[in-house]
């Protein structure tokens, strides 16, 4: 039968049968040799009878003990360090079984002057049996893995194999090396490792030498002359990747990288060499990625009914992916875009194996109050992540009514409905555009923050929180996909101002921090994610051209087209009137400020709502700008917003 053979008590597989047979022979051999070694080859008749009487029971009991310790749950080729610990423990128990069995069953009795006496197994036999069994059982698995990892015929790369230099001699680098040796058809030949650990310098790891450190990469590349460099450090910071790419590009050497930790968690390991991909701009932006244990930081979502608005968007869909991993009682996906909602629903069902019974897919618009109350009454969410928003600055300047209706009024409505239905936590996803806003989009998000703060005062039983951060890589409208399209068309790449900088963070790590921030809130806080150092957009354009194998200014030009109205040179994460406070979480800060009076906020939204109903775009744009400036004017004396007028981002 090709099906896996399982017992309810003994975890066995079809491949366990030959393993049991081999171990039975090895245990029997160890037991016999133990007697022969103890008596120097000449076993006395009484002890020979004892050996014959106990051998079947020792073998059978040893196999049972090995099974209970899980020694037959995997192929021997995959045995690792933890498995050897289990082997040692199992052999100890099997050795202790021998005297215990002998004492209980009395298999061999001899006559003496004191009458009949049970013949015991000599201590020397037990010691030899333990050592021999440990060597035989552990050694058989070691040999199996060694043969699998490095065939007996030796590694013979193909004549035209590409010479590969591996950056990183840790677990990732060794994994790449094993895949290359195991699969000659990959057409690769390892020439060496590069690693910054001084203890590994000049060492051989699995037969391949560590040639030096990354700061010696230029010399190593010239001496080793590889055809390709593979960065085998999934958690490598962007600065390291950028240094490697720069040295390799100068010599025309291709660079590939293993997937990041987030990508490996989402796709699995598999054949890591085949998963290696070209280095992308997201890999080398220079900020060290945030790494958290999602199961720990998202534990507060277990057994909760979690709603994600904007579930089909860039942030919303990643929220759904990560929240599904922490086993909420139910995950509610809400979006008004049919295609995006269908796409994330199929991904969660097919790729993430989320059972349909633990997921609800709701096609609805957050701006419709009656519909939102129906959804909350039906599904009774206990935690809400509000990620639905319009974020394209240029489009929102052309459509200010819809920007305010969707970003500000809908957030106020959703926060109100959440309070009315006793939601425990409400987390609004905000943006750095809400800081000293100079565009309609930024002002609408600033108003949304005021609405959430006011909701905290009206519904204190709900813990409201706001999470503010900068640009995320790979989202629709991000500068990176825009530059990619322009490169594919042959250029030019357009930058509005050569001095412009922006903060960047990948979507998965931003979402992970949003989930973490959701657990920190006690009521009405504004959390700000640390974004690292700002990145020059001009340098980003040059880097992306170089990563495409082209030369900036020669193959593809970069044009400075001038700033658009309201476009900022630099983004800020805090308003001048806000005080920066630490939090217990790494990479998360808190913006402390005095809240506006609830009646002031209500009056503000009444005025804005009336203009939205009238559809007066010009008056609405003027009003939201006036209201967003109200906060700065109400700041403590001497705290004013300087140097922000006439700035924003359009190309981003």
């Amino acid at each position: 039968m090709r099906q896996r053979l399982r017992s309810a008590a003994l975890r066995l597989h079809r491949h366990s049968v030959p393993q049991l047979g081999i171990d039975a022979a090895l245990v029997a051999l160890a037991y016999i040799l133990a007697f022969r070694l103890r008596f120097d080859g000449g076993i006395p008749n009484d002890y020979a009878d004892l050996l014959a009487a106990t051998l079947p029971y020792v073998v059978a009991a040893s196999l049972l003990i090995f099974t209970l310790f899980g020694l037959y749950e995997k192929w021997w080729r995959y045995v690792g360090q933890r498995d050897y610990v289990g082997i040692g423990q199992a052999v100890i128990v099997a050795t202790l079984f021998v005297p215990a069995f002998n004492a209980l069953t009395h298999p061999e009795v001899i006559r003496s002057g004191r009458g009949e006496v049970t013949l015991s197994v000599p201590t020397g036999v037990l010691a030899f049996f333990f050592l021999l069994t440990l060597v035989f059982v552990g050694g058989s698995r070691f040999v199996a893995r060694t043969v699998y990892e490095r065939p007996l015929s030796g590694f013979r790369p193909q004549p035209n194999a590409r010479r590969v230099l591996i950056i990183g001699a840790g677990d990732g680098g060794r994994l790449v090396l094993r895949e290359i040796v195991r699969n000659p058809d990959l057409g690769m030949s390892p020439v060496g490792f590069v690693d910054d650990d001084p203890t590994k310098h000049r060492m051989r790891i699995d037969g391949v030498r560590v040639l030096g450190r990354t700061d010696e990469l230029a010399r190593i590349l010239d001496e080793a002359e590889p055809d390709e460099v593979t960065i085998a450090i999934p958690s490598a910071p962007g600065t390291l990747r950028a240094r490697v790419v720069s040295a390799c590009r100068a010599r025309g050497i291709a660079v590939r990288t293993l997937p990041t930790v987030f990508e490996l968690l989402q796709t699995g390991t598999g054949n890591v060499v085949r998963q290696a991909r070209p280095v992308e701009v997201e890999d080398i932006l220079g900020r060290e990625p945030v790494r958290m244990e999602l199961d720990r930081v998202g534990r507060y979502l277990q057994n909760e009914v979690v709603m994600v608005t904007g579930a089909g968007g860039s942030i919303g869909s990643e929220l759904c992916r990560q929240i599904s991993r922490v086993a909420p009682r139910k995950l509610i996906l809400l979006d008004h875009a049919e295609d995006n909602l269908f796409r994330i629903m199929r991904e969660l069902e097919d790729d993430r194996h989320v059972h349909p019974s633990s997921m609800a897919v709701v096609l609805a618009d957050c701006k419709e109050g009656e519909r939102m109350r129906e959804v909350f009454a039906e599904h009774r969410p206990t935690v809400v992540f509000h990620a639905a928003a319009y974020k394209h600055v240029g489009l929102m300047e052309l459509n200010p009514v819809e920007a305010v209706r969707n970003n500000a009024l809908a957030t106020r409505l959703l926060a109100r409905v959440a309070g009315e239905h006793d939601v425990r936590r409400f987390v609004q996803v905000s943006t750095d555009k809400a800081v000293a806003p100079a565009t309609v989009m930024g002002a609408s998000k600033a108003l949304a923050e005021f609405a959430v703060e006011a909701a905290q005062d009206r519904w204190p039983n709900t813990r409201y929180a706001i999470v503010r951060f900068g640009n995320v890589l790979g989202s629709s409208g991000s500068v990176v996909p825009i530059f990619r399209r322009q490169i594919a068309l042959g250029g030019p790449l357009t930058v509005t101002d050569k001095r412009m900088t922006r903060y960047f963070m990948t979507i998965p790590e931003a979402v992970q921090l949003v989930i973490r921030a959701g657990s920190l809130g006690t009521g009405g806080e504004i959390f700000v994610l640390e974004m690292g150092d700002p990145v020059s957009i001009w340098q980003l354009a040059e880097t992306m051209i170089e990563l495409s194998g082209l030369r900036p200014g020669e193959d593809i030009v970069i044009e400075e087209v001038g700033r658009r109205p309201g476009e900022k040179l630099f983004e800020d994460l805090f308003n001048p009137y806000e005080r920066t406070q630490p939090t217990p979480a790494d990479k998360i800060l808190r913006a402390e400020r005095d809240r506006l009076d609830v009646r002031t906020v209500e009056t503000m939204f009444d005025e804005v709502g009336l203009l939205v109903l009238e559809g007066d775009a010009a008056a609405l744009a003027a009003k939201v700008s006036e209201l967003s400036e109200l906060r700065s004017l109400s700041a403590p004396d001497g705290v004013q917003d300087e140097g922000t007028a006439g700035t924003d981002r359009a190309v981003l």
Side-chain angles (χ1 to χ4, degrees):
M1 294 177 62
R2 294 183 59 83
Q3 289 184 338
R4 181 178 292 178
L5 302 175
R6 282 189 189 268
S7 167
L10 305 180
R11 294 166 289 184
L12 298 175
H13 305 254
R14 63 178 183 273
H15 60 255
S16 301
V17 176
Q19 294 178 354
L20 285 164
I22 295 172
D23 277 352
L26 293 175
V27 171
L29 178 62
Y31 196 56
I32 294 170
L33 287 176
F35 274 87
R36 294 185 66 84
L37 290 171
R38 167 60 179 81
F39 296 105
D40 295 327
I43 306 176
N45 292 334
D46 292 338
Y47 285 101
D49 294 339
L50 177 63
L51 169 61
T54 56
L55 179 60
Y57 298 100
V58 170
V59 172
S62 297
L63 295 181
L64 177 61
I65 292 168
F66 293 171
T67 302
L68 294 175
F69 274 85
L71 268 59
Y72 304 114
E73 294 182 4
K74 62 174 68 174
W75 290 101
W76 287 355
R77 69 183 67 169
Y78 302 125
V79 169
Q81 183 176 356
R82 291 185 179 179
D83 298 298
Y84 288 113
V85 174
I87 290 172
Q89 294 171 342
V91 172
I92 291 173
V93 175
T95 304
L96 294 176
F97 165 81
V98 177
F101 174 78
N102 193 72
L104 292 173
T105 62
H106 311 290
E108 184 65 22
V109 178
I110 60 174
R111 295 184 182 275
S112 69
R114 294 175 296 174
E116 293 185 345
V117 178
T118 300
L119 186 63
S120 62
V121 180
T123 304
V125 170
L126 295 177
F128 280 124
F129 176 64
F130 168 74
L131 294 174
L132 291 171
T133 305
L134 186 63
V135 171
F136 288 167
V137 174
S140 61
R141 286 150 176 80
F142 177 79
V143 170
R145 175 158 185 166
T146 301
V147 171
Y148 179 70
E149 299 290 352
R150 189 178 296 274
L152 294 177
S153 58
F155 175 64
R156 293 189 179 92
Q158 298 176 356
N160 58 345
R162 302 190 307 279
R163 294 167 55 83
V164 179
L165 180 68
I166 303 172
I167 308 296
D171 292 337
R174 296 181 66 181
L175 192 59
V176 170
L177 177 61
R178 285 198 295 269
E179 289 291 342
I180 293 174
V181 172
R182 189 184 302 164
N183 301 294
D185 59 324
L186 291 172
M188 296 181 177
S189 176
V191 298
F193 286 107
V194 176
D195 197 285
D196 288 333
D197 186 349
T199 62
K200 296 177 181 177
H201 189 53
R202 294 297 174 186
M203 286 181 58
R204 285 190 177 272
I205 297 178
D206 293 340
V208 177
R209 186 179 294 279
V210 179
L211 302 177
R213 303 183 303 272
T214 54
D215 57 8
E216 303 173 295
L217 186 58
R219 173 188 62 78
I220 295 171
L221 291 174
D222 292 335
E223 293 177 357
E225 297 183 346
D227 300 311
E228 181 180 306
V229 171
T230 296
I231 302 174
I233 311 174
S235 59
T239 51
L240 172 61
R241 297 178 192 268
R243 193 161 64 244
V244 173
V245 169
S246 177
C248 292
R249 291 295 181 195
R251 293 161 177 80
I253 299 173
V255 185
R256 298 197 305 164
T257 181
L258 288 190
T260 63
V261 173
F262 288 112
E263 292 171 319
L264 288 172
L265 287 173
Q266 293 176 357
T267 62
T269 53
N271 188 319
V272 292
V273 176
R274 289 191 171 93
Q275 286 192 50
R277 54 169 174 75
V279 177
E280 298 175 350
V281 66
E282 292 89 340
D283 298 316
I284 62 173
L285 278 179
R287 68 180 308 279
E288 184 176 355
V290 179
R291 289 181 292 276
M292 292 184 177
E293 297 177 7
L294 182 60
D295 293 340
R296 177 178 57 84
V297 301
R299 189 173 299 146
Y300 72 100
L301 299 177
Q302 290 179 354
N303 298 318
E304 299 284 354
V305 179
V306 183
M307 172 185 285
V308 178
T309 70
S314 304
I315 298 295
S317 60
E318 184 62 26
L319 273 168
C320 294
R321 294 184 192 102
Q322 296 198 26
I323 292 172
S324 67
R325 289 175 48 199
V326 298
R329 178 153 50 96
K330 195 169 191 178
L331 179 59
I332 305 168
L333 284 63
L334 189 147
D335 205 303
H336 76 284
E338 176 189 11
D339 291 343
N340 292 343
L341 189 60
F342 178 78
R343 189 178 302 112
I344 185 61
M345 178 191 73
R346 296 306 306 172
E347 179 184 335
L348 292 177
E349 289 183 354
D350 298 341
D351 300 341
R352 312 282 168 171
H353 307 294
V354 177
H355 197 276
S357 63
S358 62
M359 180 173 61
V361 183
V362 180
L363 189 64
D365 195 330
C366 293
K367 299 188 292 291
E368 299 177 1
E370 184 176 350
R371 175 63 173 140
M372 287 298 99
R373 289 183 171 87
E374 290 176 356
V375 172
F376 274 72
E378 177 182 357
H379 297 286
R380 308 300 301 180
T382 57
V383 180
V384 175
F385 288 90
H386 180 43
Y390 290 147
K391 59 180 179 296
H392 296 277
V393 176
L395 281 177
M396 295 307 100
E397 287 297 299
L398 299 174
N399 300 273
V401 174
E402 281 304 308
V404 174
R405 193 201 312 270
N406 190 76
N407 291 353
L409 299 184
T411 299
R412 179 203 188 198
L413 170 64
L414 205 67
R416 174 177 294 177
V417 174
E420 293 171 352
H421 287 81
D422 295 321
V423 170
R424 294 176 190 164
R425 295 180 185 272
F426 182 96
V427 181
Q428 185 218 349
V429 177
S430 189
T431 171
D432 57 357
K433 304 297 176 293
V435 175
T439 62
V440 172
M441 182 271 185
S444 67
K445 295 296 287 185
L447 291 175
E449 291 187 359
F450 299 157
V452 173
E453 289 179 312
Q456 183 63 69
D457 292 331
R458 290 194 58 182
W459 291 280
N461 291 333
T462 299
R463 294 184 178 183
Y464 292 87
I466 300 163
V467 183
R468 183 193 295 164
F469 54 91
N471 303 284
V472 290
L473 293 164
S475 66
S476 58
S478 167
V479 67
V480 172
I482 292 175
F483 281 168
R484 284 197 180 115
R485 286 194 297 270
Q486 291 177 336
I487 292 172
L489 295 172
L493 271 63
T494 55
V495 176
T496 55
D497 195 296
K498 195 170 183 177
R499 299 167 294 171
M500 187 174 296
T501 62
R502 290 292 182 267
Y503 293 104
F504 286 101
M505 178 179 283
T506 65
I507 294 176
E509 58 181 328
V511 166
Q512 200 172 56
L513 288 171
V514 169
I515 294 174
R516 177 70 176 103
S519 68
L520 299 175
T522 58
E525 295 93 344
I526 299 177
F527 296 105
V528 182
L529 308 187
E530 289 187 13
M531 301 293 296
D533 297 325
V535 176
S536 165
I537 302 303
W538 189 274
Q539 292 180 1
L540 178 63
E542 292 180 332
T543 300
M544 291 191 64
I545 294 173
E546 291 173 350
L547 287 176
S548 301
L550 303 171
R551 291 166 297 181
E554 298 182 25
D555 300 317
I556 293 184
V557 299
I558 305 174
E559 292 184 356
E560 188 175 8
V561 297
R563 280 188 286 163
R564 301 174 186 179
E567 190 170 23
K568 289 182 179 180
L569 276 179
F570 316 103
E571 295 285 10
D572 297 309
L573 294 171
F574 293 88
N575 282 296
Y577 53 83
E578 294 172 342
R579 299 172 293 279
T580 304
Q581 300 292 339
T583 70
D586 188 29
K587 304 292 186 182
I588 301 177
L589 301 172
R590 182 168 59 88
E592 185 179 72
R593 69 186 189 188
D594 298 327
R595 297 180 193 165
L596 291 175
D597 182 72
V598 174
R599 288 171 295 181
T600 301
V601 176
E602 291 296 329
T603 302
M604 180 189 305
F605 272 90
D606 288 342
E607 295 175 357
V608 169
L610 180 61
L611 291 173
V612 168
L613 286 175
E614 294 175 350
D616 191 340
L620 180 63
K623 174 59 69 173
V624 295
S625 297
E626 173 190 333
L627 293 176
S628 62
E629 291 174 0
L630 174 66
R631 196 49 155 126
S632 297
L633 295 175
S634 62
D637 292 341
V639 179
Q640 296 294 329
D641 186 13
E642 300 177 1
T644 58
T647 58
D648 187 53
R649 70 154 201 188
V651 36
L652 300 182

